[in-house]
């Protein structure tokens, strides 16, 4: 297939040739060869970002928000073109590609508002004629490392907030999806030109493989690293940042579950299961991987689920009405095959999972499990849904929580007591817990992230902006005395 038109519409008609080969999972063909930054060029990128910080941190926050507003405007104008590029490069269906760009637009809107709400606190002092307050200041250069499955939105979750908080950003995209980053960089450059006085090096892209990310994590001139990817990658990033007391925001693995209670609206549950389990071909960190169904409705729900799976439109994600696109590459296909074999070895009954005639495409699988075995507790980035029975809610929640990951979770029930218990301290141990909605498709207004092997980071909404700033406690004495705290006497 000829995808040159999509590249041209995204502003990538003329790319400087280099050694990094970029393939589309749609048909496996090579769509570009691009340059990568050398160690010297990477050092220069970091130096430019550090210089930009010296200027940007002094710009009033609402003025910084104006730049993000302009980026949002440029994204609106390029939504269709960028959404198609996302689909071309990572293989998710066009509706999801467009939705990912909409997430970028939404976080820009949110960040513009936050630029006028970087609130601190006024604190009561125990000393007479003293005031205390808490203020927040820009932190420094923010390195952003993103994964292939969401090649643009997580960058914006971080960048929009970092920019209004006063931090320059350096983006190291996945080597599997670098073209999206280059297209977004062009969009940002147009916004900066309209802004007028953004410092050089404020927004930059670093193209490279693992070594490029390691340079960012090891540089003391990079104050923050926000990394999205595997738990293995997170261990490496976290250790490197801890060694130099840097700050990191980690968004790592997910092994998300849905509990379906006897009182559930099964039609709603069915729709949520299918979207959450097969959307992005099961390659979301929030994909539904474990379905825990009450024994009284297990057979009924499973029959309906298999029927829905049998009719899934699988194919070219650029085509209308297709719901399941390809896996990202051959390694993902192999990982899915290995996981299904392991599940069968544990006694699973597998429905689907067959590789299709066209390379890269696979039928989503349902694996009925006798128990939550080792393979079920692992995250396999593929459309495999492990299904298990439960008898009582406490046991179902224990089963849900008994995995290393702690990102997203949900329950379908119309019983208020069950819903509230699921959201209580005795319920889900995940960073995201939903009732009557699936585990994927989070809105940007809430903080996004999870616990345990998911890394503990938070991005996007709520007070996630604090991750990009440093806290300062101030005490101001407006008296003519110098009383000490805790009533200490120290006269000289």
């Amino acid at each position: 297939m000829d995808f040159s038109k999509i590249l041209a519409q995204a502003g990538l008609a003329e790319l400087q040739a280099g050694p990094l080969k970029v393939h589309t999972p749609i048909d496996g063909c090579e769509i570009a060869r691009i340059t990568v930054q050398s160690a010297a060029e990477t050092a220069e990128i970091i130096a430019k970002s550090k210089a930009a910080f010296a200027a940007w941190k002094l710009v009033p926050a609402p003025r910084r928000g104006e730049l993000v507003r302009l980026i949002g405007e440029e994204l609106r104008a390029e939504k269709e073109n960028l959404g198609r590029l996302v689909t071309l490069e990572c293989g998710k269906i066009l509706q999801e590609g467009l939705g990912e760009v909409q997430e970028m637009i939404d976080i820009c809107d949110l960040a513009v508002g936050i630029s006028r709400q970087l609130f601190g606190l006024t604190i009561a002092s125990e000393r007479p004629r003293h005031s205390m307050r808490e203020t927040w200041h820009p932190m420094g250069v923010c390195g952003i490392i993103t994964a292939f499955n969401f090649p643009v939105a997580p960058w914006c979750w971080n960048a929009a907030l970092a920019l209004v908080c006063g931090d320059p950003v350096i983006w190291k995209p996945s080597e599997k999806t670098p073209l999206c980053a280059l297209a977004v960089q062009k969009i940002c450059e147009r916004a900066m030109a309209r802004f007028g006085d953004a410092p050089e090096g404020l927004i930059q892209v670093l193209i490279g493989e693992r070594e490029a990310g390691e340079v960012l994590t090891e540089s003391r001139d990079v104050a923050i690293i926000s990394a999205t990817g595997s738990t293995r990658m997170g261990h490496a990033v976290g250790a490197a940042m801890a060694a130099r007391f840097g700050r990191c925001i980690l968004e790592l693995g997910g092994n998300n579950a849905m509990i379906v209670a006897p009182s559930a609206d099964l039609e709603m549950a069915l729709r949520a299961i299918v979207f959450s389990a097969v959307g992005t071909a099961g390659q979301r960190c929030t994909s539904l991987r474990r379905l825990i169904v009450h024994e009284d409705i297990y057979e009924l729900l499973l029959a309906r689920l298999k029927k829905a799976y049998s009719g899934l439109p699988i194919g070219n994600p650029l085509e209308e009405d297709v719901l399941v696109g390809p896996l990202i590459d051959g390694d993902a296909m192999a990982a899915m095959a290995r996981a299904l074999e392991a599940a069968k070895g544990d006694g699973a009954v597998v429905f689907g999972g067959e590789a299709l005639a066209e390379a890269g495409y696979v039928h989503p699988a349902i694996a009925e499990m006798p128990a939550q075995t080792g393979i079920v507790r692992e995250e396999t980035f593929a459309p495999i849904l492990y299904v298990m029975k439960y008898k009582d809610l406490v046991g179902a929640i224990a089963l849900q929580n008994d995995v290393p990951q702690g990102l997203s979770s949900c329950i379908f029930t119309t019983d208020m007591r069950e819903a509230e218990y699921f959201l209580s301290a005795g319920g889900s141990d995940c960073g995201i817990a939903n009732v009557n909605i699936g585990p994927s498709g989070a809105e940007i207004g809430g903080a996004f992230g999870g616990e345990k092997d998911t890394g503990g980071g938070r991005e996007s909404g709520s007070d996630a902006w604090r991750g990009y700033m440093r806290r300062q406690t101030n005490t101001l004495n407006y008296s003519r005395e110098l009383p000490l705290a805790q009533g200490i006497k120290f006269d000289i």
Side-chain angles (χ1 to χ4, degrees):
M1 299 180 189
D2 182 8
F3 299 112
S4 57
K5 183 178 179 181
I6 295 175
L7 295 176
Q9 289 172 333
L12 302 178
E14 297 181 5
L15 289 168
Q16 187 176 354
L20 181 59
K21 299 178 181 179
V22 184
H23 297 84
T24 173
I26 292 175
D27 64 1
C29 76
E30 181 182 303
I31 54 175
R33 293 192 183 193
I34 62 174
T35 57
V36 298
Q37 272 73 50
S38 66
E41 289 170 327
T42 301
E44 184 179 352
I45 285 172
I46 294 173
K48 284 182 179 179
S49 197
K50 183 180 179 182
F53 176 60
W56 192 243
K57 68 181 180 181
L58 301 178
V59 175
R63 173 65 178 158
R64 299 192 298 247
E66 171 62 10
L67 173 59
V68 175
R69 187 188 71 81
L70 293 173
I71 292 173
E73 279 192 358
E74 295 290 338
L75 286 167
R76 281 180 169 85
E78 292 296 323
K79 179 178 175 179
E80 184 76 23
N81 293 333
L82 184 56
R84 286 188 179 277
L85 182 63
V86 168
T87 293
L88 173 64
E89 200 169 25
C90 81
K92 62 176 60 176
I93 63 173
L94 182 56
Q95 279 298 308
E96 292 189 70
L98 296 171
E100 187 172 347
V101 181
Q102 185 62 48
E103 279 193 68
M104 302 175 78
I105 295 167
D106 293 344
I107 192 64
C108 285
D109 287 349
L110 182 70
V112 172
I114 287 174
S115 72
R116 293 180 180 271
Q117 301 179 75
L118 300 176
F119 297 144
L121 298 172
T122 299
I123 305 167
S125 174
E126 67 185 62
R127 289 169 281 187
R129 298 195 180 186
H130 282 59
S131 65
M132 293 180 65
R133 63 191 180 211
E134 178 182 274
T135 53
W136 293 84
H137 299 296
M139 183 78 179
V141 176
C142 178
I144 304 171
I145 300 172
T146 57
F148 76 85
N149 60 321
F150 273 77
V152 292
W155 171 81
C156 211
W157 297 345
N158 288 277
L161 294 181
L163 288 168
V164 300
C165 288
D167 304 331
V169 295
I170 301 173
W171 183 5
K172 193 279 174 192
S174 167
E175 60 272 22
K176 297 178 181 180
T177 52
L179 300 181
C180 287
L182 295 176
V184 171
Q185 180 68 16
K186 289 181 178 293
I187 289 170
C188 290
E189 287 170 359
R190 290 199 295 272
M192 287 188 287
R194 292 173 61 192
F195 183 76
D197 58 352
E200 181 185 4
L202 181 63
I203 302 173
Q204 299 181 87
V205 171
L206 171 62
I207 301 296
E209 300 194 31
R210 177 177 177 175
E211 293 75 15
E214 290 173 347
V215 172
L216 290 180
T217 60
E218 292 169 4
S219 173
R220 290 186 175 274
D221 290 330
V222 180
I224 310 161
I225 290 288
S226 178
T228 303
S230 68
T231 299
R232 176 192 57 77
M233 179 273 286
H235 280 298
V237 170
M241 295 299 286
R244 61 178 180 86
F245 298 112
R247 181 179 296 178
C248 58
I249 301 168
L250 298 176
E251 298 290 354
L252 310 175
N255 194 350
N256 315 294
M258 177 192 294
I259 297 171
V260 184
S263 68
D265 181 326
L266 292 188
E267 182 60 33
M268 281 180 60
L270 183 66
R271 292 181 61 194
I273 292 164
V274 175
F275 171 72
S276 301
V278 309
T280 324
Q283 297 171 114
R284 289 187 177 214
C285 56
T286 54
S287 288
L288 178 61
R289 309 207 180 279
R290 297 176 296 135
L291 182 63
I292 304 168
V293 185
H294 193 275
E295 59 185 9
D296 289 351
I297 58 171
Y298 181 90
E299 297 299 339
L300 174 62
L301 179 60
L302 195 62
R304 296 183 66 180
L305 185 59
K306 289 178 178 179
K307 182 179 179 180
Y309 266 52
S310 296
L312 286 172
I314 304 169
N316 184 335
L318 289 167
E319 294 179 0
E320 193 175 351
D321 297 329
V322 167
L323 295 181
V324 184
L327 293 179
I328 187 66
D329 55 24
D331 289 343
M333 293 282 290
M336 180 174 178
R338 287 194 301 271
L340 288 176
E341 284 303 309
K344 290 175 183 176
D346 291 336
V349 177
V350 175
F351 175 84
E354 307 88 0
L356 304 183
E358 192 170 352
Y361 295 81
V362 67
H363 198 286
I366 298 170
E368 297 181 68
M369 302 299 299
Q372 186 157 275
T373 62
I375 192 61
V376 180
R377 299 179 78 250
E378 295 179 15
E379 180 190 36
T380 301
F381 231 50
I384 302 174
L385 180 63
Y386 300 107
V387 188
M388 295 164 284
K389 296 178 183 179
Y390 81 92
K391 291 185 178 181
D392 63 87
L393 182 61
V394 172
I397 292 173
L399 190 65
Q400 177 203 274
N401 293 346
D402 186 27
V403 293
Q405 310 84 359
L407 178 53
S408 191
S409 59
C410 61
I411 186 172
F412 271 75
T413 180
T414 55
D415 185 323
M416 181 188 71
R417 294 183 182 88
E418 289 187 326
E420 288 291 349
Y421 184 72
F422 181 77
L423 301 179
S424 75
S428 171
D429 67 357
C430 296
I432 299 169
N434 299 331
V435 175
N436 294 331
I437 190 170
S440 60
E443 296 182 31
I444 54 88
F448 180 88
E451 304 301 329
K452 303 188 294 189
D453 278 6
T454 302
R458 292 299 186 273
E459 297 170 333
S460 196
S462 185
D463 65 349
W465 60 268
R466 296 186 179 197
Y468 308 89
M469 304 195 84
R470 60 181 177 87
R471 185 196 309 251
Q472 188 177 84
T473 300
N474 314 126
T475 303
L476 176 64
N477 178 3
Y478 57 96
S479 75
R480 295 183 181 274
E481 307 294 332
L482 191 65
L484 300 178
Q486 294 85 48
I488 293 173
K489 302 295 183 181
F490 196 84
D491 296 328
I492 57 173

